[in-house]
Structure formats: C-alpha cells, structure tokens
Amino acid sequence: MVEVEIAKSMAEEVKLFKTWSTPFGLRVVWALKLKGIPYEAIDEDLSNKSALLLQYNPVYKKVPVLVHNGKPISESLVILEYIDETWKQNPLLPQDPLEKARERFWAKFNDEKLLQSIWGVFAKEGKEREEAMAASMENLKFVEEELKGKKFFGGEKIGLADITFGWLANLICVFEEVTGLKMIDERFPLLLAWIQEFSQHPIIKDAGPPHDKLVIKYQALYEKFHPAK
Amino acid sequence: MDEVKLLGMWLSPYSYRVIWALKQKGIAYEYREEDLSNQSPLLLQSNPVHKKIPVLIHGGKPICESSVILEYMEEIWPQNSLLSSDPYERAIARFWIKFADDKICGTKGEEQNKAIEESLEMLKTIEEDALGDKKFFGGDNISMVDIAFGGLAYWPGIVEKVVGTNLLEPHRFGRPQAWTKRFMEVPEIKENLPDLRRIVKKEN
C-alpha cells in the first residue's frame, strides 16, 4: 500500500512558481485547490529571479509557471486550460463548445481590456486617468450584463471566467482603498453580489493573500506612480 | 449542417486565421467583408463588446476573438485537426498562439522603427524557441500555431510596400524565412492570401 502511494506521489509532481501577491499566480492556486491537486508553491522575488524560473520560462521570464512532472507551462490562462484537461474532476470549462467559447471570450476580455483599464485608473494621472476610468466603467458594464441570471459566470459553479475575474474580488477593494476612488459601486449590483459569492467560497476565502499586506504593497506602488508634489 | 458566416476584413491577419482554418477543415461558409470605419448592423449585433472582426456566426450564434474561434472550430469540426490531443502539446501550442497575439497584434504596416525592432526580437524567439528544425510549428502538418503566425507570411510584404524595408532578409532569419515559403505553398493558404497590389503606399 505504501509503495503504491509513494509511486503515485512521485508520478504526479506539481510545482507552481509565483509571487505571494500576483493575481495571475493566485488563479492557478485557486484552480489547483478547486480540483484538490497537491502542489509545491515556490514564491519568487521578481527583482532576483531564480535560475529555475528563467530556465522554465525563457521567453517571458515571468510568473506563474506550472511545472508538471518536470514539464513547464507558462501564461496563466494556458495553465488553467492545461489543468482542466489533465485533471478532470470539478471541471472549469463546460462541455458545450459554444459555452466554452463564451468562457474563453470573457477570460480574454478581462486580461486584455478590463485589467488594463482599471490598472490605468490606478497608475495614471490627469487626462489619461480620466480616460482609463471611462473605459473601466464601459468594461464593467459589459461584465455586469454578462452576469444576468447567473450566480457565477460559469452558471451554478465557479469556472474559468470566474477564476479569471477573481482578482476583482480581492484587489478592487485594495485599489479603492488606496486611490480613494470607488469603481464597483451600486451601479453594478450583480458584480457586487458575485464578488460576495466568490469571496465566500471556502477555497477562495482561505487562499489569501492577506488584505492588509496587499494594501501596504499597493500603497507603496501608488506613491511611486503619484509622487507628492 | 448549420449555416456558417464569417465577418472579416481583407487585410486582417486575424480574419485570415479563420479563413485558413475553415479551408483546412473543408467547411463551406459565407464571407462578408466589413468596413471597420462603418460596421454593419450584423457586426455590431454579433460583437457588441469589441465591434471587431473576425466573427464566426454558426447557426446564428456568434463567436468572437480569433483564438477563441479557432478553438471552437477544433471542437465542432475535428477533421484535419489543428491541435494535438495531448494536454501538454496543446499548452505549448496555446502559449505560442498567445505570443503571436501579443506580438503581432497592433503591428500595422504604418508602424515605425520601434515595431520593426520588436518584430525582429520576436522573429528571433520564434526561430530559436518555437520552430527549431521542424517543417511547420505543428510538425509535418500545419497547426493552429502556424495559422496564428500566418500573418508573418504576408505582412513583411506589407511592411516593404508601406515602409520600404524588407524585414525577413534571408541571411538574418533563415528558418522563419523557410517556414514562410513552405506555409505559403500549402494550397489552402496559397489560394487565400490578401492581394498586396491593393495596398497603396502612404506618402509621408
């Protein structure tokens, strides 16, 4: 019995290179935990990247990187799809191809539009910030619309799109606190409800990172972007 | 079979990705050319979020974003597969498709030296890391990755026409140059490339 267990654990070696705060790494943590996959987390210092990270992700040199039995996979959405195809329990994507396409579309929307616009509000000043705020509101409206009649983007259960939008649940409040700007307010009741549902999920709740630590980090970053005159 | 429509644009590499995939899989479709400065009601209704092409409309249901469309097509029409069935091989392919999206996106013929510099960096990465000694990115047959990089096949021609420099000098990037030739020889590709004579050089 013991030999079988050892053989099994040796056969499935999963490592995750990330940082303590990266929302992209956190997505992968959520996916692994939702599927009950044991893994070893390696938190990198991005100002001093490990030789292993550079070896596993030579093209972008970024986190997260998942290494499964010695084989590296980079780019968080690519990793999520790999996890879903390799470990079939608690699927992150639906069976129906059209529904799958919908989830993938919204995951891309988050990464290519929403994230960027909200980051613009955080990092930019003056006219650029105003434009980023306007774009963010437009983008959030689309997301709100998509939630109509649904508990999660994936329907009754958390799926790929939820995991991708998940940063809204733990980082928006940090941004709002640090900038003093409210972004997701009563104009977005469905989003607010989703944030509650998502945050309260036992896997998500326990995964961290701690709110206070995030506030300190983003406060320092904010001051860098907006030095006192 | 349900009706298939493609809303595209004659010069867009993203539009061509879908055309090439449809041709590879032998899917009959109706093509509609869009004027992006004056989008059709069908486009605005089908892609209200981005208002962009390509959009595949299958049985009346729209699918947007070229990489999402290609994955959808692979599932609905598995013949002449463009993606491996092995999860790790698929992850590698998806990584390169995202790389192509990140690097080629926004690189128009009018872009200046910075874009060209970045493109040369990109070509180097492709040559060393993605292609290696393979015939195509997919191995012996073209795959989704070849299609994603397919814009590289004709886009240097555009750059040359508009900016005046030849990007893929033979001695500099041997393997992408060779890949480009082989890619453009594939019948479904050869018969579906933009007519560069339609491009008028912009005077500065």
Side-chain angles (χ1 to χ4, degrees), chain A residues 57-60 71-75 78 81-82 85-86 95-98 100-102 104-106 108-109 111-113 142, chain B residues 47-50 52 61 63-65 67-68 71-72 75-76 87-88 90-92 94-96 98-99 101-103 125 129:
Chain A
N57 190 358
V59 175
Y60 288 113
K71 294 199 204 159
I73 302 119
S74 309
E75 291 298 304
V78 176
E81 295 244 17
Y82 175 81
E85 284 172 7
T86 305
Q95 290 282 38
D96 175 62
L98 201 59
K100 246 191 223 179
R102 186 204 301 276
R104 286 176 174 142
F105 173 88
W106 286 107
K108 277 196 98 180
F109 178 81
D111 280 10
E112 290 167 15
K113 296 278 177 207
F142 285 126
Chain B
N47 192 357
V49 174
H50 299 295
K52 282 185 180 173
K61 305 255 172 69
I63 303 110
C64 311
E65 296 291 299
S67 53
V68 177
E71 295 258 12
Y72 173 81
E75 281 157 29
I76 295 280
Y88 188 69
R90 287 158 81 94
I92 299 297
R94 285 171 178 145
F95 173 88
W96 287 116
K98 179 148 198 303
F99 178 86
D101 274 353
D102 288 347
K103 301 295 180 185
T125 304
D129 296 331

Side-chain angles (χ1 to χ4, degrees), chain B residues 50-79:
Chain B
H50 299 295
K51 306 176 180 53
K52 282 185 180 173
I53 57 93
V55 180
L56 189 78
I57 306 177
H58 183 209
K61 305 255 172 69
I63 303 110
C64 311
E65 296 291 299
S66 66
S67 53
V68 177
I69 294 172
L70 255 50
E71 295 258 12
Y72 173 81
M73 286 175 62
E74 189 62 16
E75 281 157 29
I76 295 280
W77 302 300
Q79 68 272 27

Side-chain angles (χ1 to χ4, degrees), chain A:
Chain A
M1 180 73 121
V2 173
E3 282 178 82
V4 168
E5 280 178 16
I6 292 173
K8 239 182 125 182
S9 68
M10 275 170 72
E12 288 289 11
E13 192 197 47
V14 180
K15 290 191 191 175
L16 175 62
F17 289 79
K18 60 183 188 69
T19 63
W20 72 269
S21 62
T22 166
F24 302 99
L26 190 55
R27 291 175 182 177
V28 182
V29 168
W30 289 334
L32 290 167
K33 284 185 187 287
L34 281 165
K35 289 180 179 270
I37 301 159
Y39 67 98
E40 180 196 342
I42 297 136
D43 277 350
E44 289 275 331
D45 169 4
L46 294 183
S47 63
N48 185 21
K49 293 173 188 175
S50 71
L52 268 180
L53 176 63
L54 298 176
Q55 178 195 321
Y56 285 140
N57 190 358
V59 175
Y60 288 113
K61 305 177 178 52
K62 279 182 178 175
V63 292
V65 179
L66 188 81
V67 184
H68 182 206
N69 295 335
K71 294 199 204 159
I73 302 119
S74 309
E75 291 298 304
S76 63
L77 293 183
V78 176
I79 296 171
L80 292 179
E81 295 244 17
Y82 175 81
I83 288 174
D84 208 37
E85 284 172 7
T86 305
W87 293 282
K88 309 280 191 187
Q89 67 274 29
N90 293 346
L92 303 176
L93 279 172
Q95 290 282 38
D96 175 62
L98 201 59
E99 291 305 308
K100 246 191 223 179
R102 186 204 301 276
E103 294 253 347
R104 286 176 174 142
F105 173 88
W106 286 107
K108 277 196 98 180
F109 178 81
N110 177 76
D111 280 10
E112 290 167 15
K113 296 278 177 207
L114 183 65
L115 245 174
Q116 294 204 26
S117 58
I118 294 184
W119 184 249
V121 176
F122 185 84
K124 307 278 180 187
E125 303 201 287
K127 189 158 187 291
E128 277 188 299
R129 170 182 261 193
E130 281 171 28
E131 285 169 0
M133 186 56 115
S136 299
M137 291 300 112
E138 273 305 302
N139 293 333
L140 285 169
K141 273 195 212 134
F142 285 126
V143 180
E144 176 82 5
E145 182 72 27
E146 182 57 21
L147 271 172
K148 276 209 177 108
K150 295 200 276 215
K151 184 175 167 187
F152 294 112
F153 292 96
E156 280 303 303
K157 283 180 0 171
I158 288 179
L160 183 89
D162 296 278
I163 290 180
T164 309
F165 281 122
W167 70 284
L168 291 172
N170 73 344
L171 267 187
I172 276 285
C173 49
V174 173
F175 285 5
E176 289 176 344
E177 200 174 313
V178 167
T179 62
L181 293 168
K182 196 89 181 110
M183 277 175 269
I184 302 185
D185 56 25
E186 63 281 340
R187 282 174 293 174
F188 306 104
L190 298 176
L191 252 175
L192 287 170
W194 172 83
I195 286 175
Q196 274 290 100
E197 282 289 354
F198 187 81
S199 314
Q200 290 311 307
H201 189 288
I203 298 281
I204 309 300
K205 204 154 98 173
D206 292 336
H211 174 84
D212 299 335
K213 212 173 161 195
L214 284 171
V215 170
I216 294 170
K217 176 202 159 89
Y218 283 100
Q219 182 69 46
L221 205 54
Y222 191 69
E223 279 159 21
K224 256 176 76 180
F225 288 135
H226 309 273
K229 296 186 176 78

